[in-house]
Amino acid sequence: MLFRSFEHTPGGTRIPSIDVLPEVLTKVPLFSGLLPAHLRRMATVSTFVEFKKNDYVFRHGDEGDGLYIVHSGAVRISRNASGMGEEALAIIRDGGHFGEMSLIDDDVPRSADAIAHESSVVVRLAKNDMRDLLFVDRELAYELLWRFVRTLSGRLRESNDRLMMLTASSKF
């Protein structure tokens, strides 16, 4: 586990204390190597949120409200295909992130569902607070935006590879 101290929720579960957020963020590959001051600033706009298995973190079509990081558990990113049901696109586990497109896109709805694949604790970095922070701290904005670009580029490359495999397999 990535945390040491806990807060107890009404349901009796344990959520990490907010004071460990900078430490938690250092364990996320997207943020590794950022200056400690940047991590502390990001921690000020972050919160832990708990989800039970099959709870929706967000739904396809919802307004994008921020970036999420899986602290513990797993979150399934999926879409419902007409006549076929749910198609899982990815399972995001500890240290993985999703929803970053909402920080970049203006007023574009969520492109998929995010569902707790198992009981999970996630870190939420609120869209408006992150945008305010990036506006004020240009160095942090530069670092994060390049990291987002590399992440999205990698995901696009993976999608293209999957599309090519599907296209090739449909010819036989």
Side-chain angles (χ1 to χ4, degrees):
M1 285 288 156
L2 301 172
F3 48 85
R4 293 177 296 221
S5 58
F6 302 89
E7 295 174 355
H8 292 277
T9 61
T13 57
R14 293 167 22 150
I15 294 179
S17 173
I18 290 174
D19 64 332
V20 299
L21 272 166
E23 179 186 339
V24 168
L25 294 175
T26 64
K27 308 288 188 202
V28 178
L30 180 67
F31 304 131
S32 67
L34 288 178
L35 296 173
H38 289 155
L39 294 168
R40 285 190 300 275
R41 283 186 203 115
M42 290 173 51
T44 65
V45 298
S46 304
T47 55
F48 286 105
V49 184
E50 182 179 24
F51 294 94
K52 294 183 178 91
K53 183 177 181 174
N54 295 322
D55 281 352
Y56 279 83
V57 177
F58 55 75
R59 294 177 187 265
H60 174 253
D62 285 354
E63 179 181 339
D65 64 346
L67 163 70
Y68 292 85
I69 301 162
V70 177
H71 178 64
S72 64
V75 174
R76 184 173 68 250
I77 308 300
S78 64
R79 288 280 303 259
N80 278 317
S82 181
M84 296 174 52
E86 180 187 11
E87 180 182 345
L89 304 172
I91 305 290
I92 312 295
R93 299 197 180 273
D94 297 9
H97 59 91
F98 58 96
E100 67 279 346
M101 289 175 15
S102 73
L103 297 179
I104 299 166
D105 288 339
D106 286 325
D107 302 321
V108 176
R110 294 287 190 185
S111 60
D113 295 325
I115 305 164
H117 192 63
E118 54 193 56
S119 292
S120 302
V121 174
V122 300
V123 177
R124 178 178 175 263
L125 288 89
K127 174 182 179 174
N128 292 332
D129 293 339
M130 275 299 291
R131 283 186 167 189
D132 289 346
L133 178 60
L134 296 178
F135 182 76
V136 171
D137 190 333
R138 298 294 181 170
E139 184 181 347
L140 175 59
Y142 178 82
E143 285 292 325
L144 281 182
L145 290 176
W146 271 113
R147 290 165 189 252
F148 289 156
V149 166
R150 285 191 289 273
T151 297
L152 294 173
S153 176
R155 289 180 181 173
L156 179 59
R157 197 174 348 279
E158 289 172 10
S159 293
N160 287 342
D161 290 346
R162 273 189 258 140
L163 184 60
M164 287 301 294
M165 283 191 344
L166 285 172
T167 301
S169 66
S170 69
K171 292 181 180 180
F172 296 104

